[in-house]
Amino acid sequence: MNTQVVKQSLHQLIDQIEDKELLLLYQQLLERELKKMNSKDFFNNSEDEMISRAKASLQSIEEGKTRSIEEFKNDVDKWKAERVI
């Protein structure tokens, strides 16, 4: 069964379901998967991308565009909370 056939089958099943809670659960599951697919993983960058990021970071430091360790920790905590595991 190819992907298109599966999608069509899901559409038909969804059209028959009237349970709002169940539909919302499926919606959340699918949205979570899309978010996971669309989020760029820090560790899956090419060497060129990593070098470019490092150069941009050094440039920001030279320009005084930095943030406190507390701001950094808050950003990391927020990222962890939003991560899909």
Side-chain angles (χ1 to χ4, degrees):
M1 187 180 295
N2 69 31
T3 304
Q4 191 61 36
V5 172
V6 173
K7 288 179 180 181
Q8 289 172 348
S9 177
L10 281 171
H11 284 285
Q12 290 171 357
L13 289 170
I14 288 170
D15 288 340
Q16 296 175 34
I17 295 173
E18 297 299 328
D19 184 337
K20 184 178 178 180
E21 243 180 89
L22 180 61
L23 291 169
L24 288 172
L25 286 172
Y26 283 120
Q27 181 181 4
Q28 289 174 348
L29 177 66
L30 293 169
E31 286 172 349
R32 186 178 72 182
E33 183 63 22
L34 283 176
K35 184 177 179 182
K36 186 171 70 171
M37 287 173 28
N38 293 331
S39 68
K40 191 164 185 170
D41 188 354
F42 175 81
F43 298 103
N44 287 335
N45 290 318
S46 71
E47 186 175 341
D48 288 340
E49 288 173 313
M50 294 299 288
I51 289 170
S52 176
R53 289 177 66 173
K55 287 179 179 178
S57 293
L58 291 172
Q59 181 68 33
S60 292
I61 292 168
E62 288 177 12
E63 295 172 359
K65 297 177 185 173
T66 60
R67 56 189 169 160
S68 70
I69 190 69
E70 196 59 40
E71 289 173 310
F72 175 76
K73 285 180 181 180
N74 288 337
D75 288 345
V76 169
D77 289 341
K78 182 180 175 188
W79 173 77
K80 285 180 183 179
E82 294 174 353
R83 245 176 60 184
V84 177
I85 297 176

